[in-house]
Amino acid sequence: MALPLPPGLTPPEIAFLCEMEMVTVIPRQRLEALELLGGPTPPLYPPHRTPLPLWLALLLKRQRRANILPPPWLHPSSLETILNIETDVNKESFSSPPPLPPSADGSNIISPPFLLSSTADAPAEALPYHWLELGEILLDAAPDDLVEPDAVRRLMRDLREVRMAKMRAGVEVLDGGGVVSLKGVGGMEVGEGRGFICGVVDGLRKIGASKEQARREREAEERENGYDGGGDADEMDL
């Protein structure tokens, strides 16, 4: 019998979806276009930069047929800037995600992984939706292609801790009926924080239900004792 799965996507499933993100590669060998379900890939001609899905780029990297060019936001200087924004500028909110390019009809309908937010032309000071999992994948599979991988790993860890602390702190406003803004939160962060946030929301729902039940019981008891809450107000009007 299969065990019940938790609601939402698991971290391995989120990492699997991240592999559809487009990254930039520098081919070492010539490779003709490949016919995939999503359409043909561009042919590879060394040393011209070419965008490819992350899963294909990782395959070519393991075969030593291409190098992966890290996105600008994965450089140590960019991560330090984003970390300063998270800690000094936006102390309660998250840094802004990459802007969405307008479509032909003027509406923004492009979203990850079809948004080119991890290629060599991506913004340098905006974290994309799959920033955490994509950074960890590149640190594990292509550390020699990154600039100062140890510094990148340290800065990503600091960013992760700062942003998770903001998510936990933001849940406190739910007790007063507030709303938590998740603009700029990444996919893996949502997956990791879902259990905590759902637990808090479920606990607040139970507390609210118990308070409502206690109020109804108190009103019922007052009615049985012949007390009418509106009587004093009528006498004061007279």
Side-chain angles (χ1 to χ4, degrees), residues 124-204:
E125 298 180 1
L127 294 178
Y129 185 67
H130 288 295
W131 73 273
L132 181 57
E133 51 271 39
L134 190 142
E136 291 180 347
I137 290 174
L138 293 183
L139 283 171
D140 181 63
D144 55 320
D145 290 338
L146 302 180
V147 179
E148 300 181 16
D150 293 335
V152 170
R153 184 177 289 105
R154 174 181 55 82
L155 290 169
M156 287 188 59
R157 182 178 64 250
D158 294 343
L159 265 173
R160 184 178 187 178
E161 293 175 355
V162 169
R163 291 163 67 90
M164 289 302 295
K166 287 184 179 182
M167 289 185 64
R168 297 188 184 96
V171 175
E172 297 178 359
V173 304
L174 296 177
D175 191 14
V179 179
V180 178
S181 175
L182 297 181
K183 181 181 179 180
V185 179
M188 188 64 72
E189 294 171 303
V190 173
E192 293 178 346
R194 178 181 288 109
F196 170 75
I197 295 177
C198 291
V200 172
V201 173
D202 186 60
L204 293 175

Side-chain angles (χ1 to χ4, degrees), residues 23 49 61 74 87 101 117 120 123 149:
V23 296
R49 299 179 179 183
K61 175 65 179 180
L74 201 55
T87 55
S117 56

